[in-house]
Amino acid sequence: MHLYRIDPAGDREAVRALYGIHRAAEAAETPEGPILPAPSFCDWAAHGWSDEPREVWLGDSDGDGDRGTGPAAGGYVLELPDTGTHRVASLLLVVHPEARSCGAGRRLFEHARARMRAAGATSCTAMVLNGSPGEALARSTGAKPSLVFLRQVCALDRAKAPRPGEVTAAAGVPGYSPVRWCGRTPRGYESDVAALTTATSDAPSGDVDRDGVPWSVQRVRTRDERCAARGTRAYSVAAFCESEGRLVALSTAYVDAAHEGWASQGDTVVLGEHRGRRLSLGVKKDLMTWLREKEPSVHSIATWNAEPNDGIRRVNGSLGFTVSRRWTEWHLVL
């Protein structure tokens, strides 16, 4: 395998080749979907969700010189830490199903490990589908399973949420009122959204030490800009605390332009002092009701949750979500 670094923002042919490998692998392992559409994958490969630093490499099955001549067989996206003490990198490594069992995955990993060490990373994480060929590769590198994540799916026509026009759930909690927006975060709420996004750092994280750098207003704006640039519609429902004059709960879902009938649930978070008041259930119910109204072609919504996060799992179960797959986050000390 010949490896070469690509510029995902400038080399559309190369990043589309990487997406083709990713899509083939996803279709082989999770044929029920959803699969991230090409525009979102290519934008994420180039910029991350909010402009995190990264490297993208592609591997040809044969060839020499600066760039191989054979068909693309695999590649990886490496998100590198640029702040903090623990300096944890994140790796997405993909091998085309037709190129497996010939050492391609190991070759890609060893190359990625060298790049992580050169960048000063102290450890790395990778999400691997349970029961997939990636499990054996992860184990062979010396990585350890850190945390199990559940992909849960809900058919919107069966969701246990109010129908359009019914009283919203968040409005039923005394002292709080619902707030909705589609697209970029309104300027008056950006600092609240930054605080809420920072609060997600207290979710279960296994044995991985992350620095939990607080989100800034600028990072919220960057994430919104990236979302708009790739044609993704973001729907957000929040709970506004009337006595404090700020947002204290938030749930967001994303619908890609090429969504193929799926929406993706982002974070649902409630500030610590406001938990235990069913606000997470309220904002998620309102969000699903709004999605049914605004996106009639979306039939299902998928979400990811850490298995130990019992609170959000109970909320999801009450709304009609069921577990479809399990992934494990593997952690390797470099």
Side-chain angles (χ1 to χ4, degrees), residues 104-269:
R106 187 72 190 202
R107 172 80 174 91
L108 287 163
F109 172 76
E110 292 299 343
H111 188 275
R113 173 153 53 185
R115 297 299 301 172
M116 287 185 276
R117 286 173 170 165
T122 57
S123 68
C124 80
T125 62
M127 293 287 288
V128 180
L129 175 66
N130 289 11
S132 71
E135 271 194 325
L137 174 61
R139 192 172 289 109
S140 72
T141 67
K144 305 296 182 184
S146 173
L147 189 63
V148 174
F149 283 83
L150 310 177
R151 183 167 72 189
Q152 297 178 285
V153 173
C154 181
L156 284 177
D157 62 349
R158 301 177 187 174
K160 300 171 185 177
R163 294 288 168 179
E166 294 180 5
V167 175
T168 59
V173 182
Y176 301 90
S177 55
V179 178
R180 291 177 173 180
W181 67 88
C182 180
R184 300 182 188 222
T185 306
R187 288 298 171 101
Y189 294 136
E190 287 175 331
S191 60
D192 292 350
V193 170
L196 282 159
T197 310
T198 298
T200 62
S201 63
D202 66 1
S205 60
D207 63 357
V208 181
D209 290 323
R210 293 185 171 93
D211 292 291
V213 178
W215 275 64
S216 64
V217 166
Q218 183 55 52
R219 191 175 178 190
V220 170
R221 290 176 181 172
T222 299
R223 180 181 61 184
D224 290 350
E225 289 165 3
R226 291 261 48 89
C227 195
R230 61 179 177 266
T232 299
R233 297 182 292 279
Y235 293 89
S236 297
V237 173
F240 181 84
C241 178
E242 295 162 4
S243 64
E244 297 180 13
R246 61 172 179 160
L247 303 180
V248 298
L250 176 67
S251 189
T252 302
Y254 302 93
V255 179
D256 288 290
H259 58 71
E260 300 178 347
W262 288 89
S264 176
Q265 170 76 61
D267 289 326
T268 297
V269 60

Side-chain angles (χ1 to χ4, degrees):
M1 173 178 281
H2 180 86
L3 289 166
Y4 54 94
R5 188 172 179 177
I6 66 171
D7 172 14
D11 192 338
R12 293 187 177 183
E13 181 180 351
V15 76
R16 289 289 300 214
L18 181 62
Y19 175 72
I21 298 168
H22 168 76
R23 188 174 181 90
E26 288 282 290
E29 295 170 1
T30 57
E32 73 279 6
I35 299 175
L36 191 66
S40 290
F41 178 92
C42 295
D43 187 80
W44 169 80
H47 304 286
W49 300 127
S50 55
D51 276 347
E52 297 86 358
R54 61 225 301 104
E55 291 185 7
V56 183
W57 291 76
L58 196 61
D60 285 347
S61 57
D62 55 69
D64 52 27
D66 292 335
R67 193 162 179 147
T69 57
Y76 67 83
V77 179
L78 179 61
E79 187 172 297
L80 294 164
D82 61 346
T83 59
T85 302
H86 300 295
R87 301 190 63 78
V88 181
S90 178
L91 177 66
L92 171 72
L93 187 154
V94 291
V95 177
H96 196 284
E98 295 179 1
R100 291 174 179 172
S101 303
C102 61
R106 187 72 190 202
R107 172 80 174 91
L108 287 163
F109 172 76
E110 292 299 343
H111 188 275
R113 173 153 53 185
R115 297 299 301 172
M116 287 185 276
R117 286 173 170 165
T122 57
S123 68
C124 80
T125 62
M127 293 287 288
V128 180
L129 175 66
N130 289 11
S132 71
E135 271 194 325
L137 174 61
R139 192 172 289 109
S140 72
T141 67
K144 305 296 182 184
S146 173
L147 189 63
V148 174
F149 283 83
L150 310 177
R151 183 167 72 189
Q152 297 178 285
V153 173
C154 181
L156 284 177
D157 62 349
R158 301 177 187 174
K160 300 171 185 177
R163 294 288 168 179
E166 294 180 5
V167 175
T168 59
V173 182
Y176 301 90
S177 55
V179 178
R180 291 177 173 180
W181 67 88
C182 180
R184 300 182 188 222
T185 306
R187 288 298 171 101
Y189 294 136
E190 287 175 331
S191 60
D192 292 350
V193 170
L196 282 159
T197 310
T198 298
T200 62
S201 63
D202 66 1
S205 60
D207 63 357
V208 181
D209 290 323
R210 293 185 171 93
D211 292 291
V213 178
W215 275 64
S216 64
V217 166
Q218 183 55 52
R219 191 175 178 190
V220 170
R221 290 176 181 172
T222 299
R223 180 181 61 184
D224 290 350
E225 289 165 3
R226 291 261 48 89
C227 195
R230 61 179 177 266
T232 299
R233 297 182 292 279
Y235 293 89
S236 297
V237 173
F240 181 84
C241 178
E242 295 162 4
S243 64
E244 297 180 13
R246 61 172 179 160
L247 303 180
V248 298
L250 176 67
S251 189
T252 302
Y254 302 93
V255 179
D256 288 290
H259 58 71
E260 300 178 347
W262 288 89
S264 176
Q265 170 76 61
D267 289 326
T268 297
V269 60
V270 180
L271 294 183
E273 61 270 30
H274 294 270
R275 293 174 184 170
R277 304 176 190 181
R278 299 174 65 83
L279 289 174
S280 58
L281 177 62
V283 292
K284 285 200 75 162
K285 275 187 174 182
D286 290 354
L287 179 61
M288 294 174 74
T289 299
W290 196 23
L291 272 179
R292 283 194 297 219
E293 176 185 345
K294 302 298 289 186
E295 299 283 351
S297 63
V298 171
H299 56 70
S300 299
I301 183 168
T303 186
W304 293 68
N305 303 111
E307 191 170 46
N309 195 338
D310 294 330
I312 200 66
R313 288 181 61 192
R314 284 193 295 270
V315 167
N316 288 341
S318 71
L319 291 170
F321 282 86
T322 58
V323 176
S324 66
R325 296 277 181 167
R326 283 176 166 81
W327 269 257
T328 295
E329 182 182 62
W330 290 74
H331 181 220
L332 176 67
V333 176
L334 298 171

